[in-house]
Amino acid sequence: MSSVQPLYLPPVYQDAADSGRIILRDGTTATIRVAVPEDFPALQVFFANLSLDSRVHRFFSPNLPRPELVREMCDPSDPRKQLTLLVERVFDGEPTIIAAASYYAQRGQKGLTAEAAFAVADAFQGKGIGSLLLERLAVIAVRHGIKHFWAVTHADNRGMIEVFKQSGFPVKTKWDGSDIAFDMAVIPSETSIARFERRDRVATIASLRPIFQPQSIAIIGASRSPTSPGYHLIRTLVLGGYHGTVYPVNSHAHSVCSIRAYPSIESLPETPDLAIIAVPREGVMTVVDDCAAKGVRAVVVVASGFADVGPQGQALQQELRDKVRGAGMRLVGPNSLGVMNTDPAVQMNATFSPIPAISGHVGVASQSASLGLALLALAQQRQVGVSTFVTLGNKADVSSNDMLQYWEEDEHTNVILLYLESFGNPRRFGRLARRVSRVKPIVAVASGRSSGKGDDVLDALFHQTGVIRAATLDEMFDLATALTTQPLPRGRRVGIVTNTTGAGNVVCDAAEAAGLEVVALSEDIKAQLQPQLPRLTDFKNSVDLPVSATGQDYRKAVEALLACDEIDALIVIYVHVGIAEPEEINQAILDGARASRETAGPKPVLVSLLAETAPQPKLVAGELHVPVYGSPESAAYVLGKMATYAVWQSQPPGLIPDFQDAKMDEARRILQEWLSAHGTSWLSTEQTWALLAAVGMPLLSTKLVSGPQDAVQAAREIGYPVAVKLAAPRPHKAAIDGVHLGVTSGAGVQRAYRAIMEGIAPFNGAESEHTVMVQSMVNGAVELKITVTEDPKFGPIVTFGLGGEDAELIEESRSAITPLTSRDAVELVQEMRGYPLLAGAHGRQPTDVDAIKDLLLRVSMLVEGLPEIAEIDLNPVFALPGDDGIWIGDARVRVEALPE
């Protein structure tokens, strides 16, 4: 691989860098957007309302800025020259500017640089708005080629000085009398990204605290009717032992569930942290306005009929989201059935579930409200303890991305369960999940397994980010039970103890299918075990006890195998045949597991009890809990996924490389010139090859020609034999006689050229300036293909697989979502079924696998850095033996103009 350094990609926001929601340091929210000409009067008012000190800090003068300057700030037409971002809150129903930040570009010694300037309303200073604006301005500026900011501020402007110093960007300072000049490189770095992520996490957690740790809750729409949502919410809160204050709001009742009711939110004696809005859809907007006027921090909206019912409902939901964000609140729902926190200090069940959850360490989020209640029932049935629970509903505001950040630092949550029906921002989910999975397992059930290609993309997302995908809700709780009670295995080697050969064979097959290695114990270990297990029937791939095995037999087998260095985990199966009582076997398994833990350290133990009655979810002895499964296959599948996650977690994070020889500015110029002249289209072959060459991709020796004599001359320069091919960006060129391989003479080259012209004549291909390419021939290579397609939700998807004749024998490819890390590239190559062909199977020489990974990473870098690229097709790519590298034989690139 060429010389590289880590590439740190800019933050991925819930909405976008220049629009949508921002969360302030105190957990309240605001909206951010680009200034437009219509903002001129409001921006003038904003500057006029600044205190004298704030205006002096912004403009170095107590005077109001010149109208011409304010008009310039409101001109978004050319962000390469200047841009202004505005932050707004709603007061008295009107959006009001509370902050503004601008950059003004100029050409300097360091390339394109920009002056940055900030102003924050006095009442909102100290809430982190300056830092939020700086990081977002930087993201937008870098996107338009600006890599440096400079700013000058008064020495007593401590707030702005801290913003620059704590940004994470490399900052140089220079004193000039009473002023300080700052110069900073605003390209994302390890430090700046780490600082952003920390600020984002702290703010998000603060914004969710009123939802999960409220000191007081208002139930708006509380009712005396036992069939109403408001009645159920009051009842579950009170019966659940909520430690805060409950305020029923009902204009027609003096009390609800024996608790004093209030006629309106305005009449409450205090401002509640959380309001649960249990009124019909038609009344939701008015209630939200009332909550905003009261200063409520968060709301849960129960009503459906928003985005779940079509375009009209979607528009209504957007209005609801805008109201909530403008007022600085957070929103769960609409179409939510509530939230729960089992922390003894909170004890809040603000859901419709009458089932009291067991307090524990599993965080649960369900997009489906009704299915969320089913998840609570399953948790109770499986004895899985819940820390916090939320039904996200339509996810108008609070999403699974927010919950990941909340649970990441929640000391009461060790395992995260997600039921997802859609992704609002899958790229942000991927970035957060990759980070959270390193410290806490995430188990997800994502609906849509019948959607084919979309499901493959989901699998790729989960695989890259360490998320454990469960096929069913049952499997989700199978995994949760094991993850909350057992350590992760240190490897894939599994031992098996059983009292029937048939069950042993079943679990062996299931374990191998789950990617586990069923250990055939060594002779030394057998010799050590034999004296301890005199009643042993057979050793094969499992320890087969006799069908009449006693509890003592099971204890010795469990203890001995767990102490064995040749296994990483143990599956224990007991088939009840009426001899030993199940209780005796259960206790023996627990005793063996406990004894081994004390001497040999912890290893996961999973049990399958095949008895006449349904097995209990766990075997429990004090602090020791061992999960029990109704079938040995379930135990094997769970252990296989635990082992896969353990491997993922144990490996270091992959590197996103920044190749030193890649000329991204040159590549960007090529695309911009093409789009200016041609708009959305396929690049010409000449421009395609220039683009790929600019970023250092290995291109096969090629000459583009426009006549038969030119083709002959090109062949002589390259050296026979050559390939003569159609150069137009068209797939399936062979179908129109567009590919001629192994041409060995000038006459052959001319014949090939004329044949191509005849083949493309019906398609007007001859109008191209260069319609034919002459290339050197490659022998002894493995053919590959690399494609990139743009998924509207997930972004660029890189697909890698075999090409040519090998693809007909092994029809398999693997996909990954960009940005690819070095680890992703390794897995794309080595986990492909055709990898043995690259590694030297069937008498072939091993290929240069490192060069293949290098190319995959360059492709990822290209599409991440140039979002105008909508599609790439590299086919064929020739992987040569030994260290001879790889060569791209043909390529197509389609570009799209970005929306303004």
Side-chain angles (χ1 to χ4, degrees), residues 462-529:
F462 290 157
H463 178 75
Q464 289 174 255
T465 57
V467 174
I468 306 169
R469 186 171 191 181
T472 64
L473 298 181
D474 271 336
E475 189 180 71
M476 172 190 275
F477 281 93
D478 284 347
L479 284 157
T481 306
L483 289 166
T484 53
T485 62
Q486 300 300 298
L488 292 174
R490 292 190 290 266
R492 295 184 177 275
R493 303 170 303 171
V494 59
I496 299 167
V497 175
T498 178
N499 66 336
T500 66
T501 302
N505 292 336
V506 167
V507 78
C508 282
D509 292 343
E512 289 176 349
L516 299 170
E517 177 189 349
V518 181
V519 175
L521 297 176
S522 68
E523 293 302 321
D524 287 344
I525 295 298
K526 290 179 183 179
Q528 294 175 34
L529 293 178

Side-chain angles (χ1 to χ4, degrees), residues 254-318:
H254 294 292
S255 65
V256 176
C257 294
S258 301
I259 302 175
R260 179 187 173 184
Y262 295 82
S264 67
I265 188 85
E266 181 184 6
S267 64
L268 297 182
E270 65 172 323
T271 298
D273 292 327
L274 175 66
I276 301 180
I277 302 175
V279 303
R281 184 186 75 165
E282 292 72 22
V284 168
M285 295 300 181
T286 299
V287 172
V288 168
D289 286 337
D290 293 341
C291 289
K294 187 68 175 179
V296 174
R297 294 285 301 277
V299 296
V300 175
V301 174
V302 173
S304 58
F306 290 85
D308 47 295
V309 297
Q312 184 177 0
Q314 179 67 57
L316 192 63
Q317 182 166 304
Q318 182 63 49

Side-chain angles (χ1 to χ4, degrees), residues 8 165-170 187-199:
Y8 296 98
K165 287 186 174 181
Q166 298 301 319
S167 66
F169 296 124
I187 297 174
S189 67
E190 181 178 14
T191 303
S192 71
I193 292 299
R195 295 275 177 87
F196 157 75
E197 290 181 344
R198 181 62 186 165
R199 286 192 296 266

Side-chain angles (χ1 to χ4, degrees), residues 21-40:
R21 177 199 74 195
I22 60 172
I23 305 177
L24 280 54
R25 188 179 297 150
D26 62 0
T28 61
T29 64
T31 56
I32 190 169
R33 62 178 178 83
V34 174
V36 295
E38 291 76 14
D39 292 315
F40 172 69

Side-chain angles (χ1 to χ4, degrees), residues 325-561:
R325 290 181 175 179
M329 298 187 290
R330 297 305 309 266
L331 161 68
V332 176
N335 199 17
S336 168
L337 294 186
V339 296
M340 177 185 293
N341 186 348
T342 67
D343 179 356
V346 181
Q347 205 68 29
M348 175 188 67
N349 180 7
T351 75
F352 291 87
S353 174
I355 303 170
I358 301 170
S359 180
H361 301 286
V362 177
V364 183
S366 173
Q367 187 172 346
S368 166
S370 57
L371 200 57
L373 301 186
L375 293 179
L376 284 179
L378 272 172
Q380 174 78 2
Q381 178 187 329
R382 301 294 188 87
Q383 297 179 23
V384 171
V386 173
S387 60
T388 40
F389 165 84
V390 57
T391 52
L392 297 168
N394 294 1
K395 300 193 301 185
D397 180 38
V398 174
S399 68
S400 53
N401 293 343
D402 294 298
M403 295 310 304
L404 287 179
Q405 298 210 81
Y406 182 82
W407 283 321
E408 181 179 9
E409 294 195 0
D410 180 26
E411 62 182 11
H412 300 290
T413 300
N414 297 334
V415 176
I416 297 167
L417 304 184
L418 303 175
Y419 173 77
L420 304 170
E421 294 179 341
S422 64
F423 285 88
N425 190 331
R427 288 174 69 81
R428 181 165 167 81
F429 175 89
R431 191 148 174 172
L432 293 173
R434 195 188 296 264
R435 188 181 78 214
V436 176
S437 290
R438 301 207 67 81
V439 293
K440 297 181 182 181
I442 303 170
V443 182
V445 171
S447 61
R449 278 194 170 271
S450 61
S451 60
K453 180 68 173 177
D455 197 61
D456 292 340
V457 174
L458 268 183
D459 278 338
L461 174 66
F462 290 157
H463 178 75
Q464 289 174 255
T465 57
V467 174
I468 306 169
R469 186 171 191 181
T472 64
L473 298 181
D474 271 336
E475 189 180 71
M476 172 190 275
F477 281 93
D478 284 347
L479 284 157
T481 306
L483 289 166
T484 53
T485 62
Q486 300 300 298
L488 292 174
R490 292 190 290 266
R492 295 184 177 275
R493 303 170 303 171
V494 59
I496 299 167
V497 175
T498 178
N499 66 336
T500 66
T501 302
N505 292 336
V506 167
V507 78
C508 282
D509 292 343
E512 289 176 349
L516 299 170
E517 177 189 349
V518 181
V519 175
L521 297 176
S522 68
E523 293 302 321
D524 287 344
I525 295 298
K526 290 179 183 179
Q528 294 175 34
L529 293 178
Q530 192 72 54
Q532 302 178 53
L533 303 171
R535 291 163 54 81
L536 187 67
T537 301
D538 201 348
F539 261 116
K540 293 185 181 178
N541 283 336
S542 61
V543 172
D544 288 345
L545 298 171
V547 71
S548 59
T550 65
Q552 187 69 6
D553 296 329
Y554 264 92
R555 173 174 177 161
K556 288 181 177 179
V558 169
E559 187 174 350
L561 275 184

Side-chain angles (χ1 to χ4, degrees), residues 25-228:
R25 188 179 297 150
D26 62 0
T28 61
T29 64
T31 56
I32 190 169
R33 62 178 178 83
V34 174
V36 295
E38 291 76 14
D39 292 315
F40 172 69
L43 196 54
Q44 282 189 308
V45 171
F46 165 69
F47 290 132
N49 288 337
L50 290 176
S51 68
L52 186 63
D53 284 346
S54 294
R55 199 179 307 139
V56 168
H57 286 326
R58 171 60 178 86
F59 297 105
F60 290 82
S61 168
N63 299 324
L64 290 175
R66 293 177 292 104
E68 295 80 13
L69 176 61
V70 180
R71 289 190 189 280
E72 182 183 0
M73 293 180 189
C74 297
D75 180 7
S77 61
D78 191 353
R80 290 170 296 183
K81 293 182 178 179
Q82 75 89 30
L83 189 83
T84 296
L85 290 177
L86 303 178
V87 178
E88 291 181 325
R89 271 277 185 85
V90 173
F91 297 100
D92 298 325
E94 291 296 324
T96 303
I97 298 171
I98 61 172
S102 307
Y103 67 72
Y104 307 90
Q106 54 190 282
R107 182 69 60 180
Q109 293 180 346
K110 299 176 182 178
L112 202 58
T113 185
E115 178 188 5
F118 304 81
V120 179
D122 292 75
F124 285 89
Q125 292 176 11
K127 297 182 184 293
I129 294 179
S131 296
L132 292 169
L133 284 169
L134 173 58
E135 71 188 25
R136 288 169 182 256
L137 269 187
V139 168
I140 299 167
V142 170
R143 190 187 299 160
H144 292 95
I146 301 167
K147 300 178 181 179
H148 276 265
F149 276 178
W150 64 272
V152 178
T153 188
H154 292 306
D156 64 344
N157 190 358
R158 299 186 181 278
M160 209 65 236
I161 292 171
E162 282 301 301
V163 166
F164 294 139
K165 287 186 174 181
Q166 298 301 319
S167 66
F169 296 124
V171 177
K172 294 180 181 179
T173 59
K174 182 179 179 181
W175 285 81
D176 182 12
S178 61
D179 300 332
I180 305 176
F182 293 87
D183 184 294
M184 66 195 81
V186 292
I187 297 174
S189 67
E190 181 178 14
T191 303
S192 71
I193 292 299
R195 295 275 177 87
F196 157 75
E197 290 181 344
R198 181 62 186 165
R199 286 192 296 266
D200 187 45
R201 185 161 63 249
V202 168
T204 298
I205 292 170
S207 76
L208 297 181
R209 217 166 267 132
I211 297 172
F212 293 103
Q213 302 171 40
Q215 298 297 308
S216 55
I217 303 175
I219 307 296
I220 304 172
S223 172
R224 293 175 171 176
S225 171
T227 61
S228 71

